[in-house]
Amino acid sequence: MNQKSEFSVEGLRDYNRCGPVRWIISHCLEHKLYLFVGLFGFALTYIAFSGARVMFGRGAELIIEGGDAQAVIAVSLAVLILSVSDGLFALLGSMVMVILSTRVERDSRHELYASLLGKSQTFHDQQRVGDIMARATDDVRQLNFVIHPGIMFIFDMFLGFAVPMIYIAAINLELLLAPVIFVICYVFVVRRYMRRLEPVMMQQRMQYGTLSARLEETISGIEIVKVAAQEIEERKKFKRNAWKYRDFFVQQGKIEAAYLPLLMFGIAFGFFFLHCLNLYSRGILSIGDIIAVAGLMQVISFPVFISLFSISMIQLGIAGARRILELIEQRADIDENLAGHGAAVVGAIEFDHVTFKFHGSTVLEDVSFTVEPGQTVAIVGQTGSGKSTLTQLVSRTYDVDEGRVLIDGVDVRDWNLDRLRSQMGKIEQDIFLFSRSIADNIAFGVQNATAEEIENAAKEAQAHDFIMSFNDGYESEIGERGVTLSGGQRQRLALARAFLRQPRILILDDSTSAIDSATEDEIQKAMRRAQEGRTTILITHRLSQIRWADRIIVLENGRAIANGSHEELLRSSEHYRRIFARYGAVESPIGQLAAGGGA
């Protein structure tokens, strides 16, 4: 079996994930032309910029020596050409690097999003949505700044040291003494600076994720917050998190305030100028040479100054990249099994001594039963007995710890997961709807569904009338998670979605709990038509739905304690009788007798 720990996504490139720096570089190398044109443009910028400083010295020397006007004009034109070239090459380099940084941001966000889509439900159960959103938005955004202006500044640092020093060496090799000593000291000081800054930047990004997660939880649960009158308490908690986030910026500022290279450069420049005067007194340098090398030394001051900001940007981006990679590389326990079984589902389901544990707690224990193709099986039991978990094992949202779940005689772990799930439909009590049009929500998961097909599915689910009561009908936008609709309306849209997909296995988890009895009768008729020839697993406490199930399985504390038809269980299962007696649902003469016996 070909196993992969995550879903693969077509068209997604494999990037080097050995570390955040290599990962960023591998993203940049996907756009080699932009990277090399940008760097080449900045190289030419420094060559032209430094060359102009040399020509300043030559011009000053001509003036001092009383050179002719033609020579002065030639030097002036050279300075003009070099200065214009400097500006043009800088413009080219910046423009290309902006394009590169935007593309890397786009690609990395796509990579993260595709990875999240491929993670198992187990993975998502353990994540905080707000933190994921922080990584997918702000952390990814930091990658843009790593490249522009981050990498641009780093390249500026390299060129800002190398190019002027080459020009200085060409004028007089002895003058390299002060710049070389300064660069060596600079490298050691900056390395120490980066080591101090790195953990602060990482903590800053982590705290931002915590802040975002807390905000998302509060906004998502705003109804509970208001009902419990906890606005003041939640505001205090958010303030504490915001202050922690602010504290890391203060730490960053303290480290940056102690940035020594600027002071070191001032000292180095003083010794450099003293060296120049010494060489001048010995007749080795001219006034023009001193003006030229002083200008070149000032060129070195620019990368020293911007390194204070560029290193912070780089460290912040690397911290963000590390958080993104942590999410991408985190493995879950469900594999896609691309080479697995991929036949059309007939609908036979078998639980073979299945045991499932969640976070160490046993949810299902030694459950065994079979469902024939086309049968409707109702799962009943008290809250917490494992009913919903059982259906999640069928769709392989989770994997069993012991035993097997078989679809058409094949272990679900041996199926191609995408092929298996594409032939299943599931409707839960907690319906999720997207912030899209009603038509898009009904057609979700069905490619190229026509307006007529969508409308027919809605009519079967008794949703057409309320949809048409909206001003835009099927094009009406639904609020986030369907909050603009009632519970019954959401469930009817979910039923329409299932009817349109026409799955081979249909799972209904209390799917009509929010629908009134009159509407439910009409939906029941549509559901019976939809279930013809399909295997259906039904979870409900409504006797009206359970009665027409071919088989009923009774769960108690994660164990299947009884199964059979409704009439058989009323006679043979005290637990089954007790369930419906408690809800006042046993209404037949047999049921009344059974309820009395179970009391």
Side-chain angles (χ1 to χ4, degrees):
M1 180 177 7
N2 178 28
Q3 288 194 343
K4 294 181 68 177
S5 56
E6 304 297 333
F7 283 80
S8 60
V9 180
E10 290 187 14
L12 191 63
R13 295 180 177 89
D14 290 326
Y15 297 101
N16 188 330
R17 297 173 183 167
C18 294
V21 175
R22 292 186 181 183
W23 182 64
I24 294 172
I25 292 174
S26 67
H27 268 279
C28 292
L29 291 177
E30 285 295 328
H31 308 282
K32 296 183 181 69
L33 180 61
Y34 289 100
L35 178 62
F36 293 137
V37 169
L39 296 182
F40 184 65
F42 287 125
L44 294 178
T45 295
Y46 267 95
I47 291 173
F49 186 74
S50 299
R53 271 61 198 160
V54 174
M55 295 310 297
F56 286 157
R58 294 290 173 262
E61 194 168 336
L62 281 173
I63 293 172
I64 292 171
E65 294 176 355
D68 57 36
Q70 188 174 358
V72 173
I73 292 173
V75 170
S76 299
L77 287 174
V79 170
L80 176 62
I81 292 171
L82 288 170
S83 298
V84 171
S85 299
D86 167 30
L88 291 175
F89 290 135
L91 179 63
L92 172 66
S94 295
M95 182 178 65
V96 172
M97 292 302 282
V98 166
I99 296 173
L100 173 64
S101 63
T102 303
R103 292 195 172 199
V104 168
E105 181 184 352
R106 176 202 64 190
D107 293 346
S108 57
R109 183 173 282 115
H110 177 217
E111 182 183 5
L112 175 59
Y113 182 65
S115 172
L116 290 173
L117 289 178
K119 302 292 187 184
S120 71
Q121 186 63 44
T122 306
F123 167 86
H124 287 286
D125 287 343
Q126 299 168 351
Q127 302 302 315
R128 297 175 300 172
V129 175
D131 185 51
I132 290 179
M133 292 301 297
R135 300 186 197 216
T137 53
D138 202 66
D139 283 335
V140 172
R141 182 61 179 164
Q142 297 305 320
L143 298 181
N144 189 311
F145 299 137
V146 166
I147 297 165
H148 186 273
I151 287 181
M152 181 188 77
F153 283 166
I154 294 297
F155 197 58
D156 273 349
M157 288 168 54
F158 173 76
L159 293 173
F161 290 145
V163 174
M165 289 173 68
I166 291 172
Y167 276 111
I168 291 172
I171 294 172
N172 190 293
L173 196 60
E174 285 186 50
L175 290 174
L176 284 180
L177 178 62
V180 168
I181 293 175
F182 166 72
V183 170
I184 293 172
C185 295
Y186 173 85
V187 171
F188 282 103
V189 171
V190 165
R191 286 186 62 186
R192 180 175 177 273
Y193 171 76
M194 292 177 68
R195 282 197 298 268
R196 293 181 61 202
L197 194 61
E198 182 180 7
V200 174
M201 290 302 194
M202 191 63 195
Q203 289 173 319
Q204 187 184 112
R205 299 314 307 158
M206 295 296 290
Q207 182 59 29
Y208 181 79
T210 300
L211 184 70
S212 299
R214 186 77 191 188
L215 175 63
E216 188 277 332
E217 288 175 358
T218 302
I219 298 301
S220 296
I222 191 65
E223 183 178 355
I224 297 174
V225 172
K226 288 186 174 297
V227 168
Q230 288 296 297
E231 292 94 337
I232 295 177
E233 184 61 29
E234 289 300 313
R235 189 163 66 243
K236 290 179 181 177
K237 291 177 180 177
F238 184 82
K239 184 178 180 180
R240 284 196 293 269
N241 282 321
W243 272 94
K244 287 180 182 178
Y245 184 48
R246 170 258 183 199
D247 288 343
F248 289 122
F249 277 99
V250 172
Q251 289 184 39
Q252 175 187 344
K254 289 179 179 178
I255 294 172
E256 291 175 349
Y259 188 69
L260 293 177
L262 291 174
L263 174 63
M264 291 166 51
F265 176 79
I267 297 171
F269 187 84
F271 279 106
F272 177 79
F273 191 69
L274 183 62
H275 194 186
C276 288
L277 294 179
N278 177 263
L279 293 178
Y280 174 76
S281 65
R282 291 159 51 193
I284 298 175
L285 287 184
S286 65
I287 294 295
D289 290 334
I290 293 176
I291 293 173
V293 296
L296 290 169
M297 193 65 178
Q298 284 297 326
V299 173
I300 295 177
S301 69
F302 179 68
V304 174
F305 172 72
I306 63 170
S307 64
L308 173 63
F309 308 102
S310 61
I311 291 173
S312 297
M313 287 183 178
I314 294 291
Q315 291 285 23
L316 199 59
I318 290 174
R322 183 172 285 111
R323 278 168 43 84
I324 295 167
L325 275 179
E326 181 183 275
L327 209 58
I328 292 175
E329 291 291 281
Q330 190 168 340
R331 299 301 179 184
D333 55 358
I334 302 292
D335 63 90
E336 183 184 10
N337 194 10
L338 289 173
H341 189 66
V345 170
V346 176
I349 301 174
E350 180 182 353
F351 273 62
D352 181 16
H353 299 286
V354 168
T355 295
F356 173 73
K357 299 178 181 179
F358 192 74
H359 294 309
S361 177
T362 301
V363 181
L364 294 173
E365 184 177 0
D366 196 28
V367 174
S368 296
F369 63 87
T370 59
V371 182
E372 298 299 325
Q375 278 191 335
T376 295
V377 175
I379 312 295
V380 299
Q382 299 296 339
T383 301
S385 59
K387 302 186 297 296
S388 296
T389 301
L390 186 145
T391 64
Q392 290 173 322
L393 296 180
V394 174
S395 59
R396 206 184 166 210
T397 301
Y398 302 105
D399 271 341
V400 301
D401 291 293
E402 297 177 21
R404 299 181 301 165
V405 177
L406 306 165
I407 305 292
D408 296 341
V410 179
D411 193 317
V412 292
R413 290 168 292 192
D414 294 330
W415 275 84
N416 177 299
L417 196 54
D418 182 65
R419 179 64 174 161
L420 175 66
R421 289 178 177 172
S422 67
Q423 300 180 77
M424 290 184 178
K426 186 175 183 180
I427 307 173
E428 301 183 35
Q429 183 177 3
D430 184 18
I431 303 299
F432 187 94
L433 296 175
F434 296 93
S435 300
R436 305 171 189 175
S437 70
I438 289 175
D440 287 341
N441 272 280
I442 294 175
F444 187 78
V446 179
Q447 299 295 324
N448 304 318
T450 66
E452 184 180 0
E453 291 171 336
I454 293 172
E455 186 173 323
N456 288 337
K459 287 178 178 177
E460 278 196 297
Q462 300 300 304
H464 178 73
D465 289 341
F466 86 77
I467 292 173
M468 295 309 297
S469 68
F470 297 138
N471 291 334
D472 297 323
Y474 283 85
E475 295 306 314
S476 300
E477 293 289 328
I478 295 176
E480 188 171 1
R481 297 182 67 90
V483 294
T484 57
L485 303 176
S486 69
Q489 288 173 333
R490 290 198 296 270
Q491 288 189 333
R492 277 178 274 177
L493 289 184
L495 287 168
R497 181 191 293 169
F499 293 161
L500 184 61
R501 287 191 68 184
Q502 298 185 343
R504 298 303 306 165
I505 297 176
L506 182 61
I507 300 172
L508 305 173
D509 190 348
D510 218 2
S511 58
T512 59
S513 60
I515 296 174
D516 60 86
S517 299
T519 304
E520 182 187 356
D521 290 340
E522 295 299 321
I523 292 177
Q524 293 295 344
K525 296 174 185 177
M527 288 174 63
R528 288 189 181 93
R529 291 195 297 272
Q531 290 172 216
E532 291 178 2
R534 294 182 177 84
T535 302
T536 304
I537 299 178
L538 177 68
I539 297 177
T540 184
H541 290 298
R542 292 196 176 188
L543 183 60
S544 59
Q545 294 184 38
I546 293 176
R547 276 181 168 173
W548 44 267
D550 298 302
R551 294 182 59 201
I552 301 168
I553 297 170
V554 183
L555 292 181
E556 182 180 17
N557 297 326
R559 300 182 67 90
I561 60 172
N563 74 79
S565 68
H566 174 64
E567 288 75 14
E568 290 172 346
L569 289 175
L570 283 176
R571 292 187 174 92
S572 63
S573 175
E574 180 181 348
H575 188 79
Y576 183 76
R577 293 194 300 269
R578 190 184 306 120
I579 289 174
F580 289 99
R582 183 170 300 158
Y583 287 96
V586 182
E587 45 209 32
S588 66
I590 295 178
Q592 291 170 6
L593 178 62

